[in-house]
DNA sequence: ACTGAAACTTAGCCCCGGCTAACTTAAGAC
DNA sequence: GTCTTAAGTTAGCCGGGGCTAAGTTTCAGT
């Protein structure tokens, strides 16, 4: 039995290609772009649950037409996207009814909103206009790692480094 | 005659939904997301010309296989992408030959590289690890406006604000 | 000159996230 | 109660950017 477990461990370790950690300083470009692609794969879901949560906070309910206006896309596009969100367990819907967030959707919305707020506030603190901070943060937020988010929070709470 | 011109102006003004400029402080969410989508539309081209320029600088030439390794995608994907770049006037190719940059491609590569460098250096100055700066900047770079890029440059050259 | 391996190409498939057009449903005005 | 209209749905299309599998070309080593 223990042998079986050991075998699994060995396989897992051997699976990691070249450890990359004891690097000679060279970059690992491949992994970098994989992360960017993975960020983009979750981006629409994050923006939608955030918008849905906002609409519910402001109007008590989120209708598809709210998302149509928010994202400046067509009703058909919103419908398709909501179907994917439902498939992925983030929202529930019924025909002609408002969109509801699942527990998972609600959690993702809170996290996304918090991260978005931090990034936007950080850009403002950097000195860019409110308008630019709003625009740039909408894309940047999805590529900000925990570590970078922490650095931005630190600046907001404790001022600039050094 | 003056009446005709006035009419045109009135129509144009009436056409813009609510002007948004003399705003009461409310956001214009739709335009924000349009910008993010437009950023993504040029993202792959920017990363490719940058990678092609790097390969040429380092090996004198850029082969498709270099891009396969750099982006961790298949040869087929690189081929498809290169075709789009050629269609868009950024590269030239011939069968089984290295990829060459057009003047436009070269220009875009320089701009993208410079912007990427600034973003990555800024993140490092913020205090995140080299590895995180490399990863996060790869996605962030495409969403950084001129204004935000300027703010980052200022920090790198003149230190933190306040 | 031959041959095997690496590089490249092509065909065909997939999902995502946009769109238009046509239709259906739900609700409020009357 | 009807009817208008806004909201929602559905079908079908497109391009982007991934993939696999199978075939072709180039080139180095012998
Ligand atoms: Mn957001
Ligand atoms: Mn966003
Ligand atoms: Mn992005
Ligand atoms: Mn990039």
């Amino acid at each position: 039995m223990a042998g079986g477990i050991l075998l699994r461990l060995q396989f897992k370790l051997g699976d990691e290609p070249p450890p990359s950690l004891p690097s000679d300083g060279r970059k690992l470009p491949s992994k970098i772009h994989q992360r960017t692609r993975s960020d983009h794969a979750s981006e629409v879901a994050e923006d939608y649950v955030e918008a849905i949560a906002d609409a519910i906070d402001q109007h008590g309910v989120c209708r598809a037409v709210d998302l149509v206006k928010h994202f400046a896309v067509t009703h058909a596009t919103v419908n398709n996207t909501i179907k994917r969100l439902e498939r992925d367990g983030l929202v529930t819907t019924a025909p002609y009814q408002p969109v509801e967030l699942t527990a998972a959707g609600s959690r993702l919305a809170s996290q996304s909103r918090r991260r978005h707020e931090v990034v936007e506030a950080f850009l403002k603190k950097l000195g860019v206009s409110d308008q630019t901070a709003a625009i740039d943060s909408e894309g940047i937020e999805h590529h900000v790692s925990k570590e970078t988010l922490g650095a931005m929070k630190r600046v907001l709470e404790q001022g600039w480094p050094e």
Side-chain angles (χ1 to χ4, degrees), chain A:
Chain A
M1 318 304 159
I5 290 170
L6 181 57
L7 197 63
R8 284 229 324 248
L9 274 177
Q10 286 177 337
F11 175 79
K12 271 197 165 179
L13 286 171
D15 205 23
E16 303 282 348
S20 93
L21 295 170
S23 170
D24 57 337
R26 295 288 302 107
K27 300 283 182 57
L28 254 299
S30 50
K31 298 225 168 181
I32 292 178
H33 292 279
Q34 285 172 352
R35 240 290 304 276
T36 304
R37 292 195 290 267
S38 134
D39 291 342
H40 286 157
S42 33
E43 165 155 0
V44 170
E46 289 164 1
D47 284 341
Y48 266 66
V49 294
E50 200 182 331
I52 293 166
D54 286 351
I56 291 175
D57 285 356
Q58 289 170 29
H59 317 121
V61 93
C62 177
R63 313 252 22 161
V65 69
D66 299 328
L67 302 172
V68 168
K69 287 169 194 155
H70 183 84
F71 291 109
V73 295
T74 64
H75 229 121
T77 296
V78 165
N79 244 24
N80 287 338
T81 304
I82 287 176
K83 265 179 215 141
R84 285 197 303 276
L85 297 181
E86 184 160 36
R87 180 201 62 190
D88 297 342
L90 296 172
V91 306
T92 58
T93 59
Y96 300 96
Q97 291 310 119
V99 187
E100 317 248 32
L101 287 172
T102 64
S106 215
R107 247 178 289 123
L108 181 61
S110 301
Q111 290 168 13
S112 301
R113 181 167 6 190
R114 176 72 186 131
R115 189 189 54 188
H116 195 157
E117 286 167 356
V118 170
V119 172
E120 186 166 0
F122 176 84
L123 289 179
K124 286 184 189 172
K125 179 139 192 167
L126 231 200
V128 311
S129 69
D130 289 6
Q131 181 72 357
T132 295
I135 294 175
D136 291 14
S137 68
E138 191 60 72
I140 290 174
E141 55 168 345
H142 308 280
H143 302 285
V144 168
S145 63
K146 265 224 157 89
E147 184 184 347
T148 299
L149 190 68
M152 290 179 173
K153 269 187 205 161
R154 205 177 316 123
V155 168
L156 292 173
E157 290 162 4
Q158 305 167 26
W160 302 106
E162 262 166 315

